[in-house]
Amino acid sequence: MNDVRSWDVGISQRIDGTPWQLRVHEIVGSTSGPTTAFVAGLWGDKALGVLTLHSLIEELRAADLSGRVLVIPAVNVPALETGTRVSPDHHQLNRRFPG
């Protein structure tokens, strides 16, 4: 059983003034090795990737893992909450990178 750590990272402020935080999960294997990352939930109308990454966390917890995996299942939480492609500020997050 691999160790899974989770924490919130504050990235900005939501349109209603509340903090915008991302939940990060880190699965660490029993031996050292490379690090990889999986990210989903960029568009709020595409929730299947979010569900898939939650399942992946559980599979990796039980896997024979070397290294570590970072998982951020939901990047655009405001859009996911409304089930729309755009955030409440009417911007597509993938068109706003890098800032």
Side-chain angles (χ1 to χ4, degrees):
M1 185 75 59
N2 296 311
D3 184 31
V4 178
R5 261 185 10 150
S6 299
W7 65 92
D8 292 326
V9 176
I11 60 164
S12 186
Q13 192 174 54
R14 294 173 59 159
I15 197 167
D16 64 1
T18 60
W20 185 348
Q21 297 185 322
L22 298 182
R23 174 59 56 120
V24 178
H25 304 274
E26 176 187 46
I27 303 96
V28 179
S30 57
T31 59
S32 64
T35 297
T36 192
F38 294 91
V39 178
L42 186 64
W43 288 336
D45 60 351
K46 306 286 185 189
L48 187 56
V50 176
L51 298 172
T52 300
L53 289 190
H54 282 290
S55 295
L56 178 65
I57 292 167
E58 293 308 312
E59 287 186 33
L60 291 175
R61 182 190 303 263
D64 184 19
L65 183 66
S66 295
R68 72 182 183 146
V69 179
L70 299 173
V71 180
I72 303 174
V75 174
N76 196 350
V77 176
L80 285 161
E81 288 174 342
T82 59
T84 59
R85 183 164 292 234
V86 298
S87 297
D89 61 4
H90 302 288
H91 292 289
Q92 288 189 26
L93 187 60
N94 72 322
R95 306 272 193 253
R96 305 294 293 178
F97 293 122

